[in-house]
Amino acid sequence: DVNGAKYEIFRLKEVEGYQTLPYSLKILLENLLRTEDGANVTKEQIQALAQWNPADEPNTEIQFTPARVIMQDFTGVPCVVDLATMREAIADLGGDPERVNPLAPAELVIDHSVQIDNFGTADALERNMEIEYERNGERYQFLRWGQTAFDDFKVVPPGMGIVHQVNIEYLARTVMTREVDGVLRAYPDSCVGTDSHTTMVNGLGVLGWGVGGIEAEAAMLGQPVSMLIPRVVGFKLTGSIPSGATATDVVLTITEMLRQHGVVGKFVEFYGEGVGSVPLANRATIGNMSPEFGSTAAMFPIDEVTLDYLRLTGRSEENLALVEAYTKEQGLWHDPSVEVKYSEYLELDLSTVVPSISGPKRPQDRIELSDSKEQFRKDIHNYADTDELGAGRPSKSVGVSMEDGREFELDHGAVSIASITSCTNTSNPSVMMAAAVLARNAVDKGLKSKPWVKTSVAPGSRVVTEYYEKSGLIPYLEDLGFNVVGYGCTTCIGNSGPLESEISQAIQDNDLSVTSVLSGNRNFEGRINPDVKMNYLASPPLVVAYALAGTMDFDFENDALGQDADGNDVYLKDIWPDPTEVQKIIDASIDTEMFTKEYGTIFDGDERWQSLETPTGATFEWDDQSTYVRKPPYFEGMKHQPEPVTDIQGARVLLKLGDSVTTDHISPAGSFKSDTPAGRYLLENGVERKDFNSYGSRRGNHEVMIRGTFANIRIKNQLLDGVEGGFTRDFTQDGAPQAYVYDAAQNYQAAGTPLVVLGGKEYGSGSSRDWAAKGTALLGVRAVITESFERIHRSNLIGMGVLPLQFPAGENAESLGLDGTETFDFTGVTVLNEGKTPKTVKVTATHPEGKVTEFDAVVRIDTPGEADYYRNG
Ligand code: F3S
């Protein structure tokens, strides 16, 4: 009974054993209690979770029905494409297309597409947005159609912010309510998102993580996501951050610790007395980097700090009262005196954290700032020709003359990009304001950014600009070139835009190994900019400091950043912000009004958005000339009842692969050349080479994506002795080598030949990328036989009607003498038509020379729900 209203709740307290469960498992337990239906969610699952033993290895499957789905535009567009196609399929069968509608609220934030084409000027933001609309208008029109066509689907237009920051500042409800059969029900907020950093919301006590498009669509349509009850790592926080260090340093330290410990597939949960003194912004920064730790989620419990944040960000008093009452009633309110059981334990005394950066290619490779120069001099040897490096230091000065008269020398290690970017840190006022204060101190001392550095600020919400403006510090950032360039992912997702042409030319002509410094969470080689080899993660104030230094070959303790007006050397310590002053400015600059102002109209967008022509109607009118948004063929010929499942006869091997094939090998996200099948397709459809964009941006077009399947330049096909580049042998052409996978698959389809893929261990690891399964199915692959599967890719294959099989225990393709030239028959699959799931199917592989190999492959359709998906194609 809260705010005079009565809410129905599903009482955790009635489940024996719930008290000592970690917070995150309590949320899952409530989820099961509320969604129990005897089919997908069973009493056994509830029991297993209530009696969870922290020592158990994860082997019990449960179903999680998220309360909401959030998306970004790269991965969200194909989800909406699929929903639009489902609507049409229903209409074709004579049904009501509007039956296809999200049952769980779905929100999409357009944040991934904006690119930094302009920077360092007052009009950079405006010009970048103009270009963004030119490039992506077609996709945006489609999303606008979705917003009008679907009931519970909302789109946050471009230029508003980054999905995870918008989620914590506005979208997340923490406790949800919904009317069911005339009764008001209250339950914990939870979500899945089509982006790995969805875990940022864990900082707010909301359970959620990133999933692939297929699972997100299923969740939108009210279906549960299958998962194993995980091990939960208890992470005790004590002490407080020392004055020279920041929240970014904390998260880089935690990343290093958890990577060393090993938390893949586990939940991490922060606990202990110290948790209560961790500000919410820091909790969100830590939750954000859960994928970098390797964990599924990185949770903080709900307490006063959570309520204060909800109040600051403008959530209603009613909502706050409900959050407090609900969590206290359910035993979800953080109580450090309750002893919770964890599977493993770790501890960090925050007072031991020191200023750090991470790089040059992995977030877990933390470097203490005091060692950064020395470490760079070691690392540069992996990136530059050793003969060019004098006594361990970069020594290849290249003179560059710019058209505007700037002249300078570039060397290995030059900082070519310094970007305050990414939801990880731009959501955190403590580090954002520290950057601004450092900029002011630097400008006061007469320091300047080096002229070769591409500087930018890309906040994850417009509130940042509001509080920057109120603080009066914007002019200092702009003085150093840190103008706002966009509200979106920009540099973090690799949309750093081209470097200035003379600089880019000098780098390429001289093979310089230059660097980027960004306040993001990922720095894989090649992610940030094609000209930049070494990428470093750092706090926003350190990003500004590196723009001043201009090189990674810099020791902030002993090297001067420049001289002041009196000719005195200025060091980092002379301009480093005083945390007490930073906090004072934050307190004076941030208020609730900013949040209510910016979020009050968040879905409206600007004139550009509103003036986009919006298609209307329950179904979408596809443009068959579009190269971005096309109707996929998944439902072609769909009938009211599925065709009976058939055995598979005469299948040929499309690829024979080794261990650890990732979903990025199967469906790459990056750019591609004009002589690949995808490139050829776009050229034939009138797209110029310069407008190819990436596979990632063309996921709404299955024609590009099928052609990109198995096209990763690093995939090694053993049918061709490990030749890289997405090639295979085409047995319709006498086994001709070097056919593109797509071209060979086309020939097999024309001949009516089903296909099979042979794999090794951990097939489909890496991410839950839906296109890895969609592309496999669309190429005509009917079965994949491996030694083991990554869980989500296996489930996605079933979702697309591809049979996941495993070699008998202890066997693999080699041990069975299979070289991939065989013809495969699979029998026993038809048992599925009797409502049963076969444990094994009989596989007969006939070698061209007549040798026959028979084995029983293990069918990895693990649940009745999965069998249903498979039967329905
Ligand atoms: Fe975007 Fe980077 Fe966050 S890609 S969603 S800013 S992690």
Side-chain angles (χ1 to χ4, degrees), residues 855-869:
F855 60 94
D856 289 332
V858 179
V859 178
R860 286 299 315 278
I861 294 177
D862 293 357
T863 66
E866 287 182 353
D868 261 350
Y869 270 111

Side-chain angles (χ1 to χ4, degrees), residues 476-636:
Y476 299 102
L477 283 163
E478 291 183 349
D479 244 27
L480 300 180
F482 284 92
N483 299 69
V484 172
V485 292
Y487 295 92
C489 302
T490 62
T491 306
C492 182
I493 192 63
N495 283 348
S496 53
L499 299 181
E500 289 177 276
S501 57
E502 297 92 333
I503 297 177
S504 175
Q505 205 60 53
I507 293 169
Q508 288 172 23
D509 291 350
N510 298 286
D511 202 13
L512 283 177
S513 292
V514 298
T515 63
S516 78
V517 185
L518 66 150
S519 61
N521 48 30
R522 289 204 167 144
N523 52 351
F524 309 142
E525 233 166 302
R527 177 174 167 105
I528 305 304
N529 187 289
D531 284 338
V532 180
K533 292 195 180 143
M534 305 166 82
N535 302 306
Y536 292 88
L537 305 178
S539 66
L542 282 180
V543 168
V544 178
Y546 271 109
L548 303 172
T551 175
M552 283 306 301
D553 188 39
F554 199 85
D555 174 356
F556 282 106
E557 272 167 38
N558 299 307
D559 297 341
L561 288 162
Q563 277 84 39
D564 63 14
D566 302 328
N568 300 317
D569 282 347
V570 181
Y571 295 89
L572 183 63
K573 67 175 168 25
D574 302 324
I575 56 168
W576 190 256
D578 165 15
T580 318
E581 190 203 355
V582 170
Q583 192 53 49
K584 264 196 198 148
I585 299 177
I586 291 174
D587 293 342
S589 308
I590 302 184
D591 59 43
T592 300
E593 223 173 281
M594 294 173 179
F595 290 91
T596 42
K597 176 183 158 213
E598 288 301 341
Y599 285 111
T601 54
I602 184 86
F603 296 109
D604 297 351
D606 60 8
E607 252 170 58
R608 262 181 297 244
W609 177 252
Q610 285 161 10
S611 60
L612 275 181
E613 216 173 291
T614 311
T616 52
T619 52
F620 182 69
E621 297 233 348
W622 305 95
D623 168 6
D624 53 15
Q625 301 302 309
S626 172
T627 56
Y628 274 106
V629 177
R630 294 294 281 268
K631 181 183 167 188
Y634 312 128
F635 302 100
E636 263 164 29

Side-chain angles (χ1 to χ4, degrees), residues 40 56 84 144 157 172 188 271 292 305 315 358 376 469 504 547 573 615 651 658 708 745 779 792:
N40 281 313
D56 284 350
R144 275 175 70 85
Y271 79 104
E292 283 65 50
V305 174
R315 269 73 168 211
S358 279
F376 167 74
E469 265 171 11
S504 175
K573 67 175 168 25
L779 283 174
I792 298 172

Side-chain angles (χ1 to χ4, degrees), residues 111-112 162-164 195 197 422-423 489 492-493 521 527:
D111 59 3
H112 270 53
I162 301 174
V163 58
H164 310 306
D195 189 279
H197 295 99
S422 175
C423 48
C489 302
C492 182
I493 192 63
N521 48 30
R527 177 174 167 105

Side-chain angles (χ1 to χ4, degrees), residues 46-59:
I46 294 172
Q47 233 161 35
L49 188 51
Q51 290 161 13
W52 177 73
N53 180 345
D56 284 350
E57 285 305 319
N59 49 22

Side-chain angles (χ1 to χ4, degrees), residues 648-706:
I648 304 165
Q649 304 292 337
R652 296 304 303 244
V653 177
L654 183 62
L655 296 115
K656 179 171 180 281
L657 303 168
D659 292 342
S660 302
V661 168
T662 68
T663 50
D664 194 72
H665 284 121
I666 305 170
S667 183
S671 55
F672 47 89
K673 295 193 186 149
S674 33
D675 62 352
T676 58
R680 278 184 343 228
Y681 163 83
L682 287 178
L683 290 175
E684 281 160 17
N685 281 275
V687 180
E688 287 182 41
R689 174 72 190 89
K690 68 175 177 38
D691 296 326
F692 273 12
N693 224 328
S694 58
Y695 284 118
S697 69
R698 294 202 178 262
R699 286 179 186 152
N701 182 351
H702 62 281
E703 294 289 0
V704 173
M705 299 310 292
I706 308 173

Side-chain angles (χ1 to χ4, degrees), residues 71-83 108 110 113 139-140 142-143 153 194 217 628-630 696-701 774:
M71 292 176 276
Q72 37 95 333
D73 52 307
F74 267 19
T75 49
V77 168
C79 287
V80 185
V81 163
D82 290 354
L83 293 185
L108 185 150
I110 300 179
S113 297
R139 291 159 70 228
Y140 296 170
F142 173 68
L143 290 174
F153 170 61
T194 59
E217 284 166 33
Y628 274 106
V629 177
R630 294 294 281 268
S697 69
R698 294 202 178 262
R699 286 179 186 152
N701 182 351
K774 287 173 164 175

